[in-house]
Amino acid sequence: MPLPSSDEEKHQSSVAENTDHHHHEQFKQQFGFDPADIAAHTPSLRGHKLTAAVTFVAGTGFTLFGYDQGVMSSLLTGNQFEGSFPEVIVEPSHPNHATLQSFIIAIYEVGCLFGALSNLWVGDKLGRRKTIVVGGSIMIVGAILQTTAFSFAQLIFARIFTGYGNGLITSTVPTYHAELSPSAKRGRMIMMEGTLIVVGVTIAFFVNWSSAQWRVPIALQLVFEIIMVTCIGFLPESPRWLVKRGRNAEAMAVISAMEDKPLSDPEVQRTYYGIREAVAVEASSQGSLRELTTGGPSQNFRRTVIAVVYMMMQQLTGINLVTLWTIVFQRLGLSEVNARITSVANGAEYILASIAAYYTIDYVGRRHLMLFGAIGQSIVMLLLAILGYINNTPAQIVSVVLIFGFNTFFAFGWLGVAWLYCAEIAGLRTRAPTNALSTASNWTFNFVVVMVVGPAFNNISWRTYIVFAALNAIIVPVVYFFFPETGGRSLEDLDVVFALAYITGEDPVKVSLRKDVPLAGTREADEILGVSPRPSEKPPTPFSSSGKVRKQV
């Protein structure tokens, strides 16, 4: 006999409440926290909107990086700047001014170096967002100090101070961006940062080409700094860092928002379990910097060395030799005005090349782009040496074209890939200190190259290009034999790659190229990592009936 209408509604409501209560209890038993805790931490943005917002803030940070790099090198030959700081005027009566000219650019890298090294201690304590805010705030003060400088000593101090903030930012932003990007889109998202470095450099050259007083271009960086510091407050923290801090409900909320999927979705749960397992694998260690020197299944030392060497090689390609565009083009016989025009055109071409790399990174992989770039750069440097030896007008014209070519190869293989790869290669527990060291390596050799290039051209002229041609040639076998492929995998999947290589005694490079490596968060991956969670805590294994790894989305 059917129930009366009112009784039927009460019955259906009671069944729904019981079902919801059952699901809530099941969720609490499985994950250890209530769905209401997750709802309380749900970000206001989800899916594409969240990805776009994170990319905007990260991109602003790297546009600032590029602008701050380019603004000083393009100011050096300006009459107003020389009038305020005669120490940078290179003339026969003051030959040491060539060193001071390089020094005012390079001293910024010293500040960046110390800022990056500071992240060894503060990065994991503050979290990704707070570190970016601190770095941006320091840069705001530094920009004000540079803008109001009236002596060479004050300008040097302001450059170091600003660099310190930039070191914190550049060693944190790629990690933050990588940890908040889906694996299938992570490459192109972070490659965009490389593009925006060049955008910043090009803006600096364009602004300084105008008649604006030199203080205006320096003050302009405040716009980028204020945007970054303000907007980061509206974004969620990295779910990887949240899990490390035991804030699991908040991490689950962020993962759900990143994927734009409900909590019950297997992909959301697998990502969460993968992060939990990465934390569990390293939970027995003391959390000190000594972890960076450990081997075993985590292979932390190998991964740290790879990141540090990569950033060293990025600078040894000679990119800063050609990034000082105005000075290089003047060396090739162009007038100051024509050198500036060519610099802006070079920057525009550089941006287009980096955008092309953005569309290829997730399809051809990181290693192929690295190798392509290094081979091309070596050839270009060798040709520049030959043309430098010939040293006539046609040779100088071709040399200008070749510098455009060098930027193209670098944009594809070493501009954005470096920041992406170093954020990917490290394990969760060591990611912040590894990126601090790798970024410090970048700034150290950035300083070395900037300081060496000027005297090198004065002493050995065109032979300087031969040195960089040889360095680029050496990079090719180093990448081929020692650098694993990181594309197409989640950050936690790479823990499985290194652990599997250690257990089987295989080369991590060869294992990284295999298609049958289990995904993190599966039972097979747990066995490799040595993690044994309760059966009730495991989501379905994402394998097809054929045993092949299911393609990630």
Side-chain angles (χ1 to χ4, degrees):
M1 180 178 178
L3 293 170
S5 177
S6 60
D7 290 342
E8 185 177 356
E9 289 175 1
K10 291 178 180 178
H11 175 72
Q12 290 176 345
S13 176
S14 176
V15 170
E17 288 177 3
N18 288 334
T19 301
D20 288 343
H21 179 73
H22 173 72
H23 286 160
H24 274 63
E25 289 301 317
Q26 187 179 36
F27 192 92
K28 287 176 67 176
Q29 183 180 4
Q30 183 176 359
F31 294 100
F33 45 83
D34 195 289
D37 295 334
I38 298 176
H41 294 101
T42 300
S44 57
L45 299 176
R46 297 182 64 85
H48 295 303
K49 291 181 179 179
L50 176 58
T51 301
V54 172
T55 302
F56 172 75
V57 172
T60 302
F62 269 71
T63 304
L64 171 63
F65 166 25
Y67 184 85
D68 224 26
Q69 276 279 86
V71 70
M72 189 57 62
S73 60
S74 58
L75 282 172
L76 285 176
T77 55
N79 292 332
Q80 293 176 336
F81 188 82
E82 290 180 341
S84 299
F85 306 104
E87 292 88 347
V88 301
I89 301 174
V90 180
E91 52 191 3
S93 58
H94 296 93
N96 64 315
H97 283 194
T99 302
L100 290 177
Q101 192 179 70
S102 296
F103 182 75
I104 196 62
I105 297 173
I107 197 62
Y108 180 74
E109 274 77 55
V110 174
C112 293
L113 167 63
F114 287 112
L117 289 175
S118 295
N119 235 357
L120 288 168
W121 294 276
V122 305
D124 275 333
K125 291 181 180 179
L126 294 179
R128 316 311 188 214
R129 293 194 311 161
K130 287 183 180 178
T131 303
I132 292 170
V133 169
V134 170
S137 300
I138 290 172
M139 290 195 74
I140 289 173
V141 176
I144 294 172
L145 291 175
Q146 287 188 75
T147 304
T148 58
F150 285 93
S151 70
F152 194 66
Q154 182 184 350
L155 184 61
I156 289 173
F157 173 79
R159 292 280 289 168
I160 296 173
F161 192 83
T162 309
Y164 185 89
N166 194 43
L168 286 172
I169 291 172
T170 52
S171 58
T172 304
V173 167
T175 299
Y176 178 69
H177 201 180
E179 292 182 342
L180 275 170
S181 299
S183 58
K185 298 179 180 179
R186 188 173 63 241
R188 69 191 77 169
M189 292 295 99
I190 300 181
M191 285 291 284
M192 188 179 293
E193 293 173 6
T195 301
L196 291 171
I197 293 174
V198 185
V199 169
V201 174
T202 306
I203 291 173
F205 276 100
F206 183 77
V207 170
N208 291 327
W209 187 33
S210 71
S211 59
Q213 212 268 355
W214 66 266
R215 298 182 194 276
V216 175
I218 289 181
L220 186 62
Q221 64 187 282
L222 286 166
V223 175
F224 303 113
E225 293 158 358
I226 292 170
I227 289 173
M228 180 182 62
V229 170
T230 303
C231 291
I232 192 72
F234 296 96
L235 298 178
E237 183 54 89
S238 156
R240 273 82 178 178
W241 184 83
L242 292 171
V243 171
K244 287 177 69 174
R245 293 293 167 176
R247 295 158 63 176
N248 295 323
E250 192 173 347
M252 191 71 148
V254 176
I255 293 168
S256 175
M258 284 166 49
E259 302 284 350
D260 199 14
K261 295 175 181 177
L263 301 174
S264 58
D265 187 85
E267 197 68 23
V268 172
Q269 295 187 14
R270 189 188 70 78
T271 301
Y272 170 74
Y273 280 116
I275 297 171
R276 281 259 315 257
E277 288 157 9
V279 173
V281 167
E282 297 163 330
S284 59
S285 58
Q286 299 299 314
S288 68
L289 296 179
R290 285 179 293 180
E291 286 182 62
L292 297 174
T293 64
T294 58
S298 65
Q299 293 290 286
N300 287 334
F301 182 70
R302 178 192 289 265
R303 295 160 82 170
T304 301
V305 169
I306 288 173
V308 170
V309 170
Y310 193 149
M311 282 299 198
M312 175 189 73
M313 293 193 305
Q314 192 215 35
Q315 291 302 312
L316 293 181
T317 58
I319 183 58
N320 271 320
L321 181 153
V322 298
T323 300
L324 302 176
W325 294 328
T326 304
I327 297 173
V328 170
F329 289 138
Q330 284 180 290
R331 283 198 187 108
L332 292 174
L334 297 180
S335 66
E336 181 182 344
V337 173
N338 288 337
R340 290 182 177 273
I341 294 173
T342 309
S343 295
V344 173
N346 193 22
E349 185 274 338
Y350 201 1
I351 292 171
L352 293 175
S354 65
I355 292 174
Y358 164 83
Y359 287 106
T360 60
I361 183 67
D362 285 320
Y363 298 102
V364 304
R366 286 49 163 163
R367 280 166 49 87
H368 284 104
L369 288 183
M370 293 180 211
L371 293 169
F372 171 76
I375 292 170
Q377 289 157 194
S378 182
I379 293 171
V380 168
M381 285 293 184
L382 184 60
L383 292 175
L384 283 171
I386 295 171
L387 293 169
Y389 173 76
I390 296 172
N391 195 29
N392 56 25
T393 301
Q396 290 174 343
I397 294 173
V398 176
S399 295
V400 171
V401 175
L402 284 174
I403 289 175
F404 280 68
F406 184 93
N407 284 340
T408 301
F409 285 115
F410 186 84
F412 266 89
W414 294 85
L415 176 60
V417 179
W419 303 100
L420 165 67
Y421 192 82
C422 293
E424 292 178 323
I425 198 68
L428 174 59
R429 193 173 182 88
T430 60
R431 188 167 296 137
T434 295
N435 274 271
L437 286 176
S438 64
T439 306
S441 172
N442 183 283
W443 291 118
T444 299
F445 286 91
N446 191 320
F447 174 82
V448 170
V449 171
V450 171
M451 287 301 295
V452 164
V453 163
F457 269 105
N458 288 336
N459 290 302
I460 60 174
S461 186
W462 55 268
R463 296 173 184 84
T464 305
Y465 294 118
I466 295 178
V467 174
F468 287 104
L471 289 170
N472 278 283
I474 293 170
I475 287 172
V476 176
V478 172
V479 169
Y480 185 83
F481 290 110
F482 299 106
F483 282 57
E485 179 58 64
T486 59
R489 301 184 186 277
S490 74
L491 298 178
E492 288 67 43
D493 288 343
L494 293 168
D495 292 332
V496 182
V497 168
F498 281 95
L500 183 60
Y502 175 78
I503 293 168
T504 60
E506 296 181 73
D507 183 356
V509 174
K510 293 181 179 179
V511 174
S512 72
L513 299 174
R514 285 168 48 180
K515 304 298 182 183
D516 61 342
V517 178
L519 300 177
T522 65
R523 292 184 178 89
E524 288 80 358
D526 288 346
E527 293 175 2
I528 294 170
L529 294 170
V531 178
S532 301
R534 295 190 304 270
S536 62
E537 288 192 345
K538 292 308 300 170
T541 302
F543 276 71
S544 67
S545 58
S546 64
K548 293 183 178 179
V549 178
R550 178 167 60 84
K551 185 179 180 182
Q552 295 189 62
V553 293

